Amino acid sequence: MSASQLPSRARTVIIGAGAVGCSVAYHLTELGAEDVTVIDQGPLPVTGGSSVHAPGIMFQTSPSKIQTKTAHYTSRLLSDAGVYDEVGGIEVARSDARMDFLQRRVENATAYGLPDPQLLSPEEVTEHIPLVDADEILGGYYSPTDGRVDGIAALQWYMEESDADFYGHTEVTDLEVSGGEIRAVETDRGRIECDRCVMATNNWGYQTGQLAGVDLPIAPVEHQYVVTEPMDELAEFGSSVGDNTTGLDVPGDRSIAEYMSEGPTLPVGRDQDHSLYFRNHGDALGMGSYNHETLSVDPGAMGTNSEERQASVRGFTEEHWTTPTHRGRDKSAKQAFDELLPATVDYEYEATENGIFVFTPDGMPAVGPTAEVDGLWSALAIWWTHSGGYGRIVAEWMENGVPRLPSGDVDTGGIHVRRFSPHAGEKEYFVDRGAKRYEQVYSIVEPRWQPDDHRGLRTSPFHGRQQELGAEFYQSGGWETPQWYESNADLVEAYEDRIPEQDGWQAINRSPIEAAEHLHTREQVSMFDMTTFSSIMVEGAEAGEYLQRMCSNDIDIDVGQVRYSLLLNEGGGILADVTVVRLDDDEYMVTTGGGNSPQIHGSWLRDHAPETVSVTIEEGAKSTIGLWGPNARLLLQRCTDADVTNEGFPYFRAKRIYVGEVPVVALRVSYVGELGWELWAPVEYGQRLWDTLWEAGRDLDVRPMGGGALSSMRLEKGYRLWGNDIDTDANPFEAGLPFAVDMDTDFVGKAALEQARADGIDNRIVPITLDDSTDIMLSGRPVLKDGAAIGYVQAGNYGYSIGESIAYTYVPDEHAEHGTSVEVLCEGETYDATVREEPLFDPGRDKLIR
């Protein structure tokens, strides 16, 4: 509902009454939340943000599961509300590469449960959209439930259906933070005390965060949209333009709101080969373009509404419509549209705009509780397409502690606002990376693509040595991590009979050197740079009790003992897998993976710690080497006086030792299924640690090993990778990790696991191997049984030690039995495959424990 008198207090204040803010408010109150206030600087419902200048086109299919799931939820929610036109969506191809891309669309849609995805011939495309010239295209991808949301009508529906109070013409001037907690929202109409605050300001996201001292990497960018005058070819559909916004307070050019409120009758369309999209607005045609150079907007100077314009709309720049300025496109938007939709050539434009929307450095949303301010939530970088779904996820997260959709818990690793590395909030960095994501919106991005700007931000102490060895660096979280080493090229010939050739899409940005490093490590010894992995020091008299509460496994271990465990949320979903090391009576080291793990998992432990427990996230504070392979003990023993025999240093034990002069915490663990150690040293000793091991192992043919080899080796062994095989949308029993759960202890998520076990586990992870192919399967591709999707590839690689192509997938329990025949659809080819028992490599652990 709408209200006029601004309250002095509300339990929850949502800043922004656009698609996302209204969705969060609606879902919060639907879940029973009371005392929710929504404020916006613009009039209601036409706020002047991107929600009301957007054409509302919704294409649901994405390589990302969560993006696809949130889009589908949004389409169903808004369809039920009567504000969604389910006219279908068609993406056309004007190149062979794009036709291959559209096949991937079918596979992603099938994997993630979208209804009836189809590939169309040119003639079938024109049956749906007669304006398209069939001679200009090779075919199309059709998703019948795609369509368009009426933005203004949807906002009105949210406001009418929600029990929240909505206030327009209310500008936020400050966020009051005290003691690390949100206390109040200051506005030009007064102060609102609150317990929780949600930032749903999208284009103003950076500015809103700054009010609380939070650097949010939210980069606004302009893109173009035009609407033609009425076309004879569309005359049958008529028009209500002129009556659509009657009685509404509309900032700026009313014609934009009028045309955006006019619905389509034909399927919405995309020509991604030229970065274009289109839909009809009754008897007129709207055409949108990303086909121009990036027009970044200063994230700190978005401005407000005026009589001349909506705050998130800039003036149309003709040169970007008629001149090819996009680095990856050789035709202008006008030229490409004239060819694809020749009927539009001679029509004038009734409405034009350069609308603004936002990108993060990785192109994904930024949602969840911020790390810096308790009670301050982010719901940013979200488009209409996904707004309903993310509003539901944020509301569930806030009210029940578990991010979920009605279909189940969701994985938040790739969307969590805490995932960004410390440098990501620097304005030049995130504006540049946002510009690159804009440029790539409709581009075909190769597997394992790497950026070429802002490189070398974070390097391990081994970086110089790795450069000398010809490391091929990939960037993750700003870290430069070797994927393979050219110095190992000689190994390819030695192992060529065990390295099948890969071609096509699966082979892009891969090297056979990765396979050679894998095989060499299995037979000799290798050094792997683990500096991106993080240690979290947990100390204090109550540290053990605290970790017992946070970890799913029994952490009552002796000094020098190591235990594998999980961190769970209240719903029993896997937040992280960790290794817990007891270094002293009141001192523990918790190790996690790299990437966004320190920000998400480290802050989870820090935020839940009592005052009596100290939690220190040591991201980048230690330099770590994984020393793995049959000769690892021989090499390590040459460098230390410590007893590293199996009897003196058993598996899953830890010791403080010296490697040469270097003080090291040595863990007898291995992520590749081989004899080995993780050697954790203070970062300033890193280069000496590398050199000491390198020199001592020359006659053992010690080699550096990159991330490519790690990927295939851990998959052979069935070791899980958070954010890949396990995440918050799976519980430990589904993920095949019951040994990491001790139900006799009390831990976060236990009640949910008890309920899950009582209900029965009907979905579980299994390895499958291809029956007669060595091709590598790619994630997000459907796993089929009798032609119906029963799961999708979580991770795939070739197992060079076992000589089979491996994929991991979650399938219903009735299909999880060893020997079950299934199929995988990948790159348009259907592969026969078989469910296997794990681990596929060294099931008796003979290579680990010796």
Side-chain angles (χ1 to χ4, degrees), residues 598-639:
Q599 291 81 27
I600 297 177
H601 307 141
S603 62
W604 172 264
L605 287 173
R606 182 192 60 208
D607 292 351
H608 288 82
E611 292 183 359
T612 54
V613 175
S614 168
V615 177
T616 305
I617 306 168
E618 295 189 317
E619 184 179 14
K622 290 191 173 80
S623 51
T624 309
I625 292 176
L627 186 68
W628 297 318
N631 289 329
R633 176 178 287 118
L634 178 58
L635 196 163
L636 182 60
Q637 191 67 80
R638 291 178 176 182
C639 305

Side-chain angles (χ1 to χ4, degrees), residues 238-289:
S239 175
S240 299
V241 170
D243 300 322
N244 290 323
T245 62
T246 300
L248 297 178
D249 184 357
V250 177
D253 183 357
R254 182 177 289 269
S255 68
I256 293 174
E258 279 288 330
Y259 275 106
M260 296 311 156
S261 297
E262 188 71 21
T265 46
L266 300 173
V268 297
R270 284 206 282 203
D271 172 15
Q272 293 172 287
D273 282 313
H274 296 92
S275 297
L276 308 174
Y277 62 96
F278 55 94
R279 77 164 176 91
N280 75 299
H281 299 248
D283 61 6
L285 190 72
M287 297 178 284
S289 168

Side-chain angles (χ1 to χ4, degrees), residues 769-842:
T769 56
L770 301 189
D771 293 348
D772 52 12
S773 176
T774 58
D775 290 351
I776 292 174
M777 298 294 94
L778 300 175
S779 62
R781 307 310 173 90
V783 176
L784 311 171
K785 181 66 176 177
D786 299 327
I790 59 171
Y792 61 91
V793 175
Q794 301 278 151
N797 212 317
Y798 190 77
Y800 299 98
S801 305
I802 66 171
E804 294 184 275
S805 183
I806 307 166
Y808 267 79
T809 178
Y810 287 85
V811 298
D813 193 53
E814 62 266 28
H815 302 304
E817 185 178 351
H818 169 62
T820 300
S821 295
V822 295
E823 296 175 327
V824 182
L825 179 59
C826 184
E827 291 299 294
E829 184 173 347
T830 301
Y831 296 84
D832 292 330
T834 302
V835 174
R836 301 279 298 277
E837 291 180 336
E838 61 174 345
L840 299 169
F841 175 79
D842 188 29

Side-chain angles (χ1 to χ4, degrees), residues 541-560:
E542 297 180 21
E545 292 87 342
Y546 166 66
L547 282 175
Q548 188 66 76
R549 170 69 178 154
M550 300 307 295
C551 293
S552 64
N553 214 340
D554 185 5
I555 308 302
D556 184 14
I557 53 179
D558 297 331
V559 172

Side-chain angles (χ1 to χ4, degrees), residues 446-524:
E446 296 177 339
R448 296 166 294 279
W449 169 84
Q450 292 293 297
D452 55 13
D453 64 338
H454 297 282
R455 296 301 297 265
L457 279 169
R458 310 174 84 181
T459 59
S460 81
F462 318 136
H463 188 71
R465 299 292 188 257
Q466 292 166 341
Q467 287 179 309
E468 294 169 1
L469 293 165
E472 178 68 22
F473 290 105
Y474 281 17
Q475 192 178 73
S476 175
W479 287 101
E480 298 293 340
T481 61
Q483 189 71 1
W484 68 81
Y485 294 83
E486 288 296 331
S487 61
N488 290 329
D490 63 303
L491 294 174
V492 175
E493 183 176 355
Y495 293 112
E496 61 181 347
D497 60 327
R498 299 169 65 184
I499 305 175
E501 185 175 345
Q502 300 290 336
D503 56 20
W505 191 249
Q506 292 101 313
I508 294 176
N509 294 324
R510 289 186 182 272
S511 170
I513 296 175
E514 300 169 75
E517 291 174 359
H518 170 137
L519 292 166
H520 175 84
T521 305
R522 290 273 189 244
E523 296 182 1
Q524 304 294 337

Side-chain angles (χ1 to χ4, degrees), residues 87 174 221 265 538 603 662 831 850:
V87 291
D174 199 11
V221 183
T265 46
V538 181
S603 62
V662 179
Y831 296 84
R850 58 179 177 181

Side-chain angles (χ1 to χ4, degrees), residues 655-720:
K655 286 185 182 181
R656 283 189 165 106
I657 67 173
Y658 290 98
V659 177
E661 310 103 312
V662 179
V664 163
V665 174
L667 312 184
R668 174 86 188 275
V669 296
S670 166
Y671 192 51
V672 296
E674 291 290 338
L675 172 68
W677 284 262
E678 293 178 4
L679 305 174
W680 296 72
V683 69
E684 64 270 24
Y685 290 101
Q687 185 169 313
R688 179 59 63 88
L689 176 63
W690 180 283
D691 290 345
T692 298
L693 294 168
W694 188 261
E695 291 302 319
R698 281 182 174 272
D699 64 316
L700 299 176
D701 198 20
V702 66
R703 299 277 184 144
M705 174 190 127
L710 184 78
S711 172
S712 57
M713 295 181 79
R714 72 100 187 165
L715 213 59
E716 280 187 331
K717 191 62 181 171
Y719 290 153
R720 308 296 190 247

